[in-house]
Structures are given as C-alpha cells and as structure tokens.
C-alpha cells in the first residue's frame, strides 16, 4: 500500500512540475517536503501518545473527567477518554477512536459522534494565540466574533450529546477494562498488558506505514492544487457571491483579507475600516463570521484531509471531515442569524 501511495505521489508531483507554474524543483524542499515531514512527525507523535495512553491504563483515568456527559450521551468512557485527549492532540484522540472502533469497543456511530464533539476541545487548542492577535486589532468586533463562534461550538456540542442520548444505543457502560478484567478472572485467566516499548515495536511501524500511504499522496495533491490556485479561486468566488448576497460591499475587503489571504492582515483591515467609520461593528462581525464560513472548510480540507484519510480509511476520513465542517458551518450560520436579527 505504501508503494502504491508513493507511486501516486510521484505521478502527481511530476505532473505538477510539468504543467503548474507554481510548482518548481527549487520550491519543493521548503513548500512541500518540510511541511510534509513536519506533519508526519506530529502524526507519529500522536500515534505514540495514543498507544501509550491505551497501554499504560490511562484511558480509564482520562475518561473519568468527562464521564457524566458521555454516559448521558451513551458514548461511554472510551469516547470520553478520546475527548479529554483532544484538548492536547487531535491526532491522538482520533487514533484512540480508531483503535476502539477496530477492537469493536465502540460503534461507527459512536466514532463519528465523538469526533464531532471533539470540535469543542479543538476550539481551545489555538485560542490563546488567535485571541491575543484578533482582539487588540478589532476590539469589540473581535470579542463578539469569538463569543459567537464559541456559542456555535456549544450549540452543536449540546445537539451532538442529545443525539447520542436518543439515537445511540448504550454500550460498554462499565469502566474501561473492567468488563475484560472481570471476564478474564472468571475464566481464571490473568490478562497482562505487554510492555509499552514492545507494543510500539509491534504496532507502530504498520500503523505509521499505513498513514504515510495516504497522507503523502493526498498532501501532495493538495499542494499541487494550491499552487495551481484552485483553492484561492474557490474562496474568491464564494466570497464575492456571499458578499453580494448578504453583507455590504464595503465589507468585501475584510472577508477576503481575513480568510482568503492572510489571517492577521484581515483583522487589521477590519479594525481600520471600523475606525474610519466605513463599516459598523455589527457589519464587521457578520463579515468575519461569513469569512469563517466560507474559507475555514476549504482550509480544513487543505490541511486536515491528509491526516483524516491517513488515520482513518480514505472514505471514512473524507466523510467525517465533510460532515464535521458541515455541522460547524450550520451552527455558525445559526448564531450569525440570531445576532443579525437580535443584536
């Protein structure tokens, strides 16, 4: 499988070098090889952490932190452990979920639902850095923007929990490992876990090889499409369409600069336009939310799709990512409409 993935990578890269002006041999080390190596390194670390959590018995301890909510949602302690791990590493959380699913400890519905709920801890991963960049530039509009996006995260998290409560069959209600240990004791079998290093030697090479088989070609395809301007064209088209339909034309530069071009420069432009009286705080907030809705899913596909397809199967990873972004967009549209009519 890895050889097939590398072969596809070579074909795509050769086509990019021949037909795409933005792809040159001189750019490959800095634009493709270094970012790809960095991504694979973080994925590898995430896989090691996930395996360590499972083998050292920390799954039950982590799962206990959010256990009441996940018990209410019929998702169990294993999914709760992945949720807690997501506050530190999304890759580790997804690797844990996949292991539980392969071992038939959780269902496919529980796997998807927990991944969607994990958008809540993901919201906080980059919050400190972005918050202290955005708020000084946009002040009130920035605070309202973060408040509304946080409320959107809370809304969809509550809905996911309620969906689990009413539409997911309760499984594995006991503590992680409890049923297995009791069953083993009943049969007179003492189940001992393998040492962590031995477990890593047995499982990690195959898992990482499988991840590389999908991450490398998908990342390369995304790189070539980006260099060809495909994602920028989609963002600009969607931005112009949405601005003409929903927000004043004066806000176009805020939307484009904020999300289709450069994050910090966009919020700086928003602050400048507000200070000049060109747009109101409310118009700026709506424009920023609109930019979030338009560009963030495209950025998610560009940056997260290789990891999702590498950790999960290509079909499952793509479906999970698209559904998660769809729910995220719907929740932001909802809070944005409420703010527009009530604020």
């Amino acid at each position: 499988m890895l050889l097939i993935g590398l072969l596809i990578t070579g074909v795509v890269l050769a086509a990019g070098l021949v037909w795409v002006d933005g792809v040159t041999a001189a750019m490959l080390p800095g634009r493709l090889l270094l970012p790809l190596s960095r991504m694979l390194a973080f994925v590898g670390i995430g896989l090691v952490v996930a395996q360590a959590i499972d083998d050292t018995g920390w799954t039950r301890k982590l799962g206990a932190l959010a256990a009441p909510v996940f018990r209410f949602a019929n998702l169990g302690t294993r999914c709760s452990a992945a949720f807690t791990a997501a506050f530190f590493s999304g890759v580790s959380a997804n690797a844990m979920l996949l292991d539980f699913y392969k071992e038939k400890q959780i269902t496919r519905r529980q796997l998807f639902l927990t991944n969607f709920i994990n958008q809540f801890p993901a919201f906080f991963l980059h919050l400190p850095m972005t918050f202290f960049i955005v708020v000084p530039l946009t002040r009130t509009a920035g605070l309202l923007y973060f408040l509304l996006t946080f409320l959107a995260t809370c809304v969809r998290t509550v809905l996911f929990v309620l969906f689990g409560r009413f539409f997911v069959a309760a499984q594995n209600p006991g503590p992680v490992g409890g049923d297995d240990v009791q069953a083993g004791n009943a049969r007179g079998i003492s189940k001992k876990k393998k040492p962590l290093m031995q477990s890593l030697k047995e499982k990690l090479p195959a898992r990482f090889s499988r991840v590389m088989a999908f991450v490398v070609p998908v990342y390369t395809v995304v790189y070539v499409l980006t260099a060809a301007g495909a994602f920028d064209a989609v963002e600009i088209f969607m931005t112009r369409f949405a601005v003409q339909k929903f927000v004043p034309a004066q806000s176009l530069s805020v939307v484009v600069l904020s999300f289709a071009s450069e994050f910090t420069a966009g919020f700086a432009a928003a602050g400048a336009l507000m200070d000049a009286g060109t747009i109101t705080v409310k118009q700026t907030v709506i424009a920023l939310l609109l930019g979030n809705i338009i560009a963030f899913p495209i950025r998610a596909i560009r940056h997260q799709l290789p990891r999702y397809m590498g950790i999960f199967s290509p079909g499952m990873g793509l479906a999970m990512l698209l559904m998660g972004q769809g729910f995220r967009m719907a929740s932001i549209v909802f809070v944005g409409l409420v703010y527009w009519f009530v604020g």
Side-chain angles (χ1 to χ4, degrees):
M1 184 180 294
L2 179 59
L3 292 177
I4 296 175
L6 294 177
L7 179 61
I8 295 174
T9 301
V11 172
V12 171
L13 197 56
L17 289 170
V18 173
W19 288 305
V20 179
D21 293 336
V23 179
T24 64
M27 293 181 177
L28 292 183
R31 299 283 182 87
L32 175 62
L33 299 181
L34 182 59
L36 178 57
S37 299
R38 187 184 301 116
M39 174 182 287
L40 289 173
F42 280 115
V43 170
I45 293 172
L47 293 175
V48 171
V49 171
Q51 188 65 46
I53 291 173
D54 188 31
D55 284 1
T56 56
W58 271 88
T59 303
R60 178 166 49 184
K61 297 177 182 178
L62 291 176
L65 297 177
V69 174
F70 279 77
R71 191 182 306 117
F72 176 83
N74 292 328
L75 296 176
T77 314
R78 294 178 178 86
C79 293
S80 176
F83 172 81
T84 305
F87 279 95
F88 308 98
S89 170
V91 173
S92 298
N94 286 333
M96 291 171 64
L97 288 174
L98 182 63
D99 282 345
F100 296 149
Y101 175 70
K102 284 185 173 181
E103 295 170 3
K104 302 187 184 301
Q105 296 174 336
I106 63 173
T107 65
R108 181 184 177 92
R109 180 171 289 187
Q110 289 173 318
L111 169 67
F112 271 69
L113 196 57
T114 305
N115 177 267
F116 300 152
I117 293 176
N118 284 353
Q119 289 182 3
F120 184 86
F123 177 86
F124 294 95
L125 279 177
H126 305 291
L127 181 62
M129 181 181 66
T130 56
F131 182 87
F132 289 106
I133 291 176
V134 171
V135 172
L137 293 173
T138 54
R139 299 177 298 283
T140 303
L143 288 171
L144 288 171
Y145 168 78
F146 278 113
L147 176 62
L148 291 173
T149 52
F150 176 69
L151 288 176
T153 304
C154 292
V155 166
R156 61 179 181 269
T157 300
V158 170
L159 292 177
F160 290 144
V161 169
L162 291 175
F163 180 89
R165 178 65 179 179
F166 295 108
F167 296 100
V168 174
Q171 292 186 357
N172 304 317
V176 174
D179 296 338
D180 295 337
V181 171
Q182 291 175 5
N185 291 338
R187 293 190 302 266
I189 300 173
S190 177
K191 298 183 66 174
K192 295 182 180 179
K193 282 188 172 293
K194 297 179 180 179
L196 176 59
M197 292 305 299
Q198 181 181 348
S199 180
L200 289 174
K201 289 179 181 179
E202 292 178 358
K203 298 180 180 180
L204 187 61
R207 289 180 177 179
F208 191 70
S209 176
R210 181 182 179 280
V211 168
M212 285 187 61
F214 292 106
V215 169
V216 174
V218 172
Y219 192 92
T220 304
V221 169
V222 171
Y223 166 74
V224 172
L225 290 176
T226 302
F231 292 105
D232 291 338
V234 173
E235 285 181 333
I236 292 173
F237 170 78
M238 293 178 64
T239 298
R240 289 177 177 171
F241 172 78
V243 168
Q244 292 172 1
K245 295 292 182 181
F246 301 109
V247 298
Q250 298 97 314
S251 301
L252 176 61
S253 61
V254 177
V255 178
V256 174
L257 285 172
S258 292
F259 299 101
S261 180
E262 206 279 327
F263 185 81
T264 305
F267 284 100
L273 288 171
M274 285 191 300
D275 290 341
T278 305
I279 57 177
T280 66
V281 171
K282 186 174 184 178
Q283 290 172 340
T284 303
V285 173
I286 294 298
L288 295 176
L289 290 176
L290 182 60
N292 186 304
I293 293 169
I294 291 171
F296 270 42
I298 298 175
R299 288 188 174 188
I301 293 174
R302 186 188 302 178
H303 298 294
Q304 297 181 25
L305 183 60
R307 279 178 284 186
Y308 268 71
M309 295 182 70
I311 295 174
F312 304 101
S313 65
M316 178 185 289
L318 179 61
M320 190 179 296
L321 183 60
L322 293 179
M323 290 175 65
Q325 289 303 309
F327 292 133
R328 192 192 65 82
M329 292 168 59
S331 65
I332 294 177
V333 168
F334 171 74
V335 298
L337 289 174
V338 172
Y339 173 73
W340 177 257
F341 289 109
V342 177

